[in-house]
């Protein structure tokens, strides 16, 4: 399996590369009144309007400030495209299924719902984000 990797704070995440349309630098956004707090706004991506989601807030971390310029991972969903805003984009990694572990039963809350499991890399764990559930939680 290939994963598009990214960082949120000290955490190292990956999403299935088949769900990723593209990765882009920070884009100007238009705020949306009354939207969920995780929804930072809308991005005009070459004429396609894309919802920008603060993945930090969705995962219970401190959200981006108005002066931050997060990177965007554009996820293609059946309902259209959504941007996951992240600190830093990593590489596309090929991971071995044998190094995958499901999350422990002690993991609770929203993390339990959004983290599919972890791949044991040589120097750290790569947390696998369920992109479809993350998109659904912001709808």
């Amino acid at each position: 399996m290939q994963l598009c990797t990214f960082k949120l704070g000290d955490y190292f995440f990956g999403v299935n590369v088949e769900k990723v349309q593209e990765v882009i630098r920070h884009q100007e956004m238009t705020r949306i009144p009354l939207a969920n707090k995780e929804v930072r706004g809308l991005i005009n991506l070459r004429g396609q309007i894309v919802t920008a989601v603060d993945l930090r807030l969705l995962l219970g971390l401190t959200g981006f400030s108005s002066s931050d310029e997060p990177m965007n991972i554009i996820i293609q969903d059946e309902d259209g495209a959504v941007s996951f805003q992240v600190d830093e984009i990593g590489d596309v990694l090929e991971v071995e299924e044998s190094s995958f572990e499901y999350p422990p039963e002690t993991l609770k809350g929203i993390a339990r719902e959004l983290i599919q499991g972890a791949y044991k890399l040589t120097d750290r764990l790569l947390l696998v984000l369920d992109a479809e559930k993350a998109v659904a939680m912001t709808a």
Side-chain angles (χ1 to χ4, degrees):
M1 171 183 261
Q2 289 187 320
L3 297 172
C4 174
T5 64
F6 57 95
K7 288 184 180 177
L8 285 173
D10 294 332
Y11 301 98
F12 189 50
F13 286 92
V15 292
N16 186 334
V17 74
E18 294 176 1
K19 297 286 184 190
V20 177
Q21 175 179 313
E22 62 187 294
V23 295
I24 57 173
R25 292 189 296 172
H26 174 73
Q27 300 288 308
E28 292 297 319
M29 285 183 301
T30 300
R31 298 264 180 210
I32 308 170
L34 304 176
N36 293 341
K37 65 180 180 180
E38 296 88 4
V39 175
R40 291 193 77 210
L42 298 175
I43 296 172
N44 184 350
L45 182 63
R46 298 182 299 277
Q48 180 184 16
I49 303 301
V50 176
T51 303
V53 175
D54 185 334
L55 207 49
R56 288 175 143 266
L57 274 181
L58 188 62
L59 290 167
L61 304 172
T62 303
F64 291 104
S65 72
S66 59
S67 62
D68 288 337
E69 296 188 348
M71 300 290 289
N72 296 280
I73 299 176
I74 309 298
I75 301 293
Q76 189 61 48
D77 184 62
E78 61 187 30
D79 295 328
V82 174
S83 169
F84 287 162
Q85 297 196 312
V86 302
D87 294 349
E88 185 178 328
I89 303 292
D91 294 325
V92 172
L93 293 182
E94 180 84 33
V95 290
E96 297 291 327
E97 290 300 320
S98 62
S99 66
F100 181 79
E101 297 243 352
Y102 289 102
E105 294 299 322
T106 53
L107 183 63
K108 306 287 185 196
I110 197 164
R112 177 77 184 180
E113 296 179 46
L114 294 180
I115 305 299
Q116 293 178 314
Y119 284 95
K120 296 174 280 188
L121 305 180
T122 54
D123 58 341
R124 58 187 158 178
L125 293 178
L126 172 60
L127 303 173
V128 181
L129 179 72
D130 188 326
E132 291 178 7
K133 284 186 181 176
V135 169
M137 287 186 157
T138 61

